[in-house]
Amino acid sequence: MNISRREFLQMLAVASASGISLSACDSDSVAQTGVKASAKPGAPYELPPFGNVSLMHYTDCHAQLLPVWFREPSINLGIGDMKGRPPHLVGEKFLAHYGIQPGSREAHAFTYLNFVEAARQFGQIGGFAHLATLVRKVREQRPGALLLDGGDTWQGSGTAYWTKAQDMVDAQKLLGVDIMTPHWEMTYGADRVMEIIENDFQGQIDFVAQNVVDNDWGEPVFPPYVMKEINGVPTAIIGQAFPYTPIANPGYMIPDWSFGIRDDRMQKMVDEARGKGAQVVIVLSHNGMDVDLKMASRVTGIDAIMGGHTHDAIPRPVVVDNAGGQTLVTNAGSNTKFLGVLDLDVRNGKVAGYRYHLLPVFASLLPADPAMAAYIDKVRAPYKDKLAEKLAVTDELLYRRGNFNGTFDQLICDAMIDVQGAQIAFSPGFRWGVSVLPGEPITFEHVMTQTAITYPTVTLNNMSGTRIKEILEDVADNLFNKDPYYQQGGDMVRVGGLKYSITPAATMGSRISDLELDGKPLDPDKEYAVAGWASVAAPVEGRPVWDVVAEYLRDKKTIHDIELNQPTIKGESGNPGLA
């Protein structure tokens, strides 16, 4: 919050004398973990109103209109100062840190523990029709509340790919989104982004990003922020797009735009908004949580950063001290699994207290909104038969999320090796892509949730052992650099065929060791056939990855005994981000 430490302690003393908790109200109890948070018995989503400014936030839904299974990671390593701190906690360590009861609905929503059994017990999570019902409930409880979309909304499904995001754009409008900031949206190209903003969003949804400027003059491409009055309180929402978009994604799709963290400019925008009368300043961010935490320590005057990109579901805000006071940092998970609700009590032009709830969107507890459900049926109808094709059946859990590998990622690597005739396969460390339970058919829709991007071509190249190690070192530095500002989010590239070890806490160039193929050390001078996809270089001709994976699955018919190619992790024994 944008109050000084002295002011905070003074208010806390007064509140304590009055029997009131000012900090996070019930944040130090299980109440802040979500569904049971201050809710009435039997009415898990009835949250008592608090304060006079409320903001709802979802992020990284990755075009998932329907309820999903989504397994949270069992490996989310923090290195250096990030070790053992949110968001780098998994499993039982996560539950203990937040006081969540093992075996509960909340434990299932926030962790990987007993995932298959809990999924069958509690049912699927998310989906826009169920999210719409929850948004409506919160708005009824909190008139004037704004709905913020943290980006990665237009990408991640077959229908989003085939409609060039139109299915998601219309869903956002129907949901009642007020403000959004981007990342994967940019992979439809600058022209398509501007077409949506100037036509579909006009007068309905504000698209903000303070850190995107044109290459020629450094002029802002999008409004940096928008001012809204919530129950008479002037509130500024500043956008922060993913800073490394032209590096992590194809730069040729947005050739005239420059990105970056730009925290100096962020400070100017905060000061400008305050100068225009903003009593509350919120940053809607797609930085990734570690970057948000560092930004919160450097930029003053921000009351809260509501973040995304790294898909971290954090039940309680992290309070960050800075030269101007304190800033709350939140992150609201992914795949429509959660809705964050931030309530602020604004008095005399300043934030005096807050409550925060990260609500799991359990489809079994929230009836589908009829209008949204009808829209989803309509927009999916032309693709229904194609999406429903049963390619194979899985005998084990398929999932993606985790620092090093997942069973669905392994399946993709195995498919490329088999179909392309490669010795080694590389698959990007994307964090989107839903899970499939044992015994379920793997449909073409499942494959598209793992692969639906606008640059999906599979390649086959000869690479030297030296070059292969360089690639692994580069990706490892992106993931495990001790300075968050040098991280780009995502997880380690998934590797098929090749065995290796990794020392995450080592320095650049010395993390990767023990490279081995077919039981023999990788020869630095020898060339190997390497398959991959999602190249950010200039587009090339070839098959889209979903066709390669679908061919493999149709041939296999049953998927079982997946040999998960995890690296040997060195030096991280006892790290609470490693289960």
Side-chain angles (χ1 to χ4, degrees):
M1 291 176 288
N2 186 38
I3 56 177
S4 70
R5 182 181 296 276
R6 182 177 180 181
E7 289 173 320
F8 178 79
L9 292 173
Q10 288 174 339
M11 287 192 296
L12 188 62
V14 172
S16 298
S18 305
I20 303 169
S21 172
L22 247 184
S23 57
C25 294
D26 48 10
S27 67
D28 52 355
S29 70
V30 178
Q32 283 293 311
T33 64
V35 170
K36 295 182 180 178
S38 305
K40 300 175 183 177
Y45 295 106
E46 295 296 327
L47 306 178
F50 175 81
N52 48 0
V53 171
S54 293
L55 302 132
M56 294 177 286
H57 174 230
Y58 74 97
T59 187
D60 297 275
C61 77
H62 285 285
Q64 297 308 309
L65 289 172
L66 298 179
V68 300
W69 314 114
F70 186 82
R71 177 191 183 273
E72 297 295 333
S74 55
I75 305 178
N76 188 3
L77 291 173
I79 302 300
D81 293 341
M82 295 165 275
K83 182 177 180 178
R85 298 181 179 180
H88 302 289
L89 300 165
V90 299
E92 294 174 354
K93 294 290 173 51
F94 185 103
L95 298 184
H97 182 84
Y98 290 108
I100 300 175
Q101 182 68 33
S104 65
R105 286 185 184 274
E106 294 78 12
H108 171 53
F110 287 102
T111 73
Y112 72 93
L113 295 169
N114 303 311
F115 181 81
V116 173
E117 295 80 3
R120 288 172 173 154
Q121 178 182 358
F122 298 120
Q124 291 184 306
I125 296 183
F128 260 61
H130 304 276
L131 177 63
T133 296
L134 182 54
V135 167
R136 186 182 69 250
K137 282 180 173 289
V138 174
R139 280 198 162 122
E140 289 171 353
Q141 298 161 0
R142 291 156 170 78
L146 295 180
L147 177 59
L148 312 183
D149 181 325
D152 281 4
T153 302
W154 303 352
Q155 175 276 333
S157 71
T159 55
Y161 175 77
W162 293 317
T163 65
K164 296 183 179 180
Q166 196 63 48
D167 65 330
M168 298 309 303
V169 169
D170 291 339
Q172 286 178 287
K173 292 163 64 178
L174 189 58
L175 187 65
V177 171
D178 294 294
I179 305 160
M180 80 170 296
T181 201
H183 170 207
W184 274 91
E185 285 70 20
M186 298 299 175
T187 62
Y188 289 96
D191 290 345
R192 178 59 175 149
V193 170
M194 296 309 296
E195 179 183 37
I196 291 170
I197 293 170
E198 294 170 358
N199 297 313
D200 299 275
F201 279 9
Q202 187 65 36
Q204 295 190 58
I205 299 176
D206 291 295
F207 193 97
V208 293
Q210 73 86 20
N211 59 325
V212 184
V213 300
D214 71 76
N215 286 326
D216 291 332
W217 303 102
E219 295 293 328
V221 176
F222 309 105
Y225 63 90
V226 62
M227 294 279 284
K228 300 283 188 179
E229 193 165 288
I230 305 175
N231 297 320
V233 178
T235 302
I237 311 295
I238 304 175
Q240 177 78 359
F242 178 52
Y244 298 108
T245 298
I247 301 172
N249 306 105
Y252 63 80
M253 294 179 170
I254 42 171
D256 301 323
W257 298 347
S258 175
F259 293 66
I261 295 173
R262 305 188 195 279
D263 50 10
D264 289 343
R265 190 166 191 270
M266 177 65 79
Q267 186 66 70
K268 291 179 181 178
M269 293 302 100
V270 173
D271 295 344
E272 181 180 301
R274 292 285 183 188
K276 291 181 178 179
Q279 296 179 21
V280 174
V281 174
I282 303 294
V283 171
L284 177 60
S285 168
H286 205 90
N287 276 335
M289 189 161 183
D290 287 329
V291 179
D292 284 337
L293 291 168
K294 182 172 179 177
M295 176 175 277
S297 73
R298 292 164 62 93
V299 180
T300 62
I302 300 171
D303 292 300
I305 300 177
M306 306 187 81
H309 179 60
T310 41
H311 294 198
D312 300 305
I314 304 300
R316 204 161 53 226
V318 177
V319 182
V320 178
D321 293 326
N322 55 54
Q326 294 180 316
T327 297
L328 306 176
V329 177
T330 73
N331 201 290
S334 66
N335 289 275
T336 67
K337 281 186 68 175
F338 302 96
L339 181 70
V341 181
L342 177 63
D343 296 324
L344 301 173
D345 182 21
V346 183
R347 304 179 190 178
N348 302 317
K350 293 184 178 181
V351 175
Y354 75 94
R355 282 182 179 169
Y356 181 77
H357 308 270
L358 187 57
L359 305 173
V361 183
F362 284 102
S364 61
L365 300 182
L366 291 161
D369 175 79
M372 185 65 81
Y375 166 74
I376 293 171
D377 287 344
K378 179 181 177 181
V379 77
R380 287 172 52 85
Y383 314 102
K384 188 173 181 180
D385 291 343
K386 185 174 184 177
L387 292 170
E389 181 190 357
K390 296 178 181 179
L391 303 171
V393 174
T394 180
D395 286 345
E396 57 186 282
L397 174 66
L398 300 180
Y399 65 92
R400 166 172 280 170
R401 182 74 170 87
N403 279 166
F404 297 108
N405 211 343
T407 48
F408 215 128
D409 290 302
Q410 190 67 55
L411 189 156
I412 294 170
C413 288
D414 292 347
M416 287 193 292
I417 289 175
D418 183 86
V419 176
Q420 299 298 109
Q423 295 170 280
I424 297 169
F426 286 156
S427 188
F430 295 143
R431 291 187 172 186
W432 44 271
V434 307
S435 304
V436 186
L437 298 187
E440 287 190 326
I442 308 169
T443 64
F444 192 72
E445 181 159 25
H446 287 134
V447 173
M448 291 302 287
T449 70
Q450 303 282 332
T451 60
I453 62 175
T454 56
Y455 48 105
T457 305
V458 175
T459 59
L460 183 64
N461 296 293
N462 289 328
M463 293 185 186
S464 69
T466 296
R467 180 59 183 145
I468 289 169
K469 182 179 186 298
E470 288 173 350
I471 290 172
L472 294 174
E473 289 282 7
D474 286 346
V475 180
D477 192 62
N478 161 58
L479 181 60
F480 296 118
N481 195 297
K482 292 181 180 180
D483 185 343
Y485 276 22
Y486 288 93
Q487 297 175 2
Q488 296 173 21
D491 286 313
M492 191 66 187
V493 62
R494 281 47 172 129
V495 180
L498 182 70
K499 306 290 185 181
Y500 71 98
S501 298
I502 185 169
T503 308
T507 56
M508 173 63 178
S510 58
R511 291 187 177 93
I512 306 300
S513 60
D514 307 326
L515 290 92
E516 185 179 286
L517 181 66
D518 297 328
K520 299 178 181 179
L522 201 70
D523 187 336
D525 299 319
K526 183 178 177 179
E527 290 202 332
Y528 301 88
V530 181
W533 66 285
S535 171
V536 299
V540 296
E541 294 294 325
R543 298 179 69 187
V545 65
W546 48 78
D547 281 355
V548 171
V549 176
E551 178 183 329
Y552 176 80
L553 289 171
R554 292 187 190 106
D555 180 62
K556 291 294 181 182
K557 296 183 174 56
T558 301
I559 298 299
H560 54 82
D561 300 326
I562 292 177
E563 185 180 346
L564 194 60
N565 189 19
Q566 293 273 32
T568 299
I569 303 169
K570 296 182 176 181
E572 295 302 326
S573 176
N575 190 316
L578 176 62

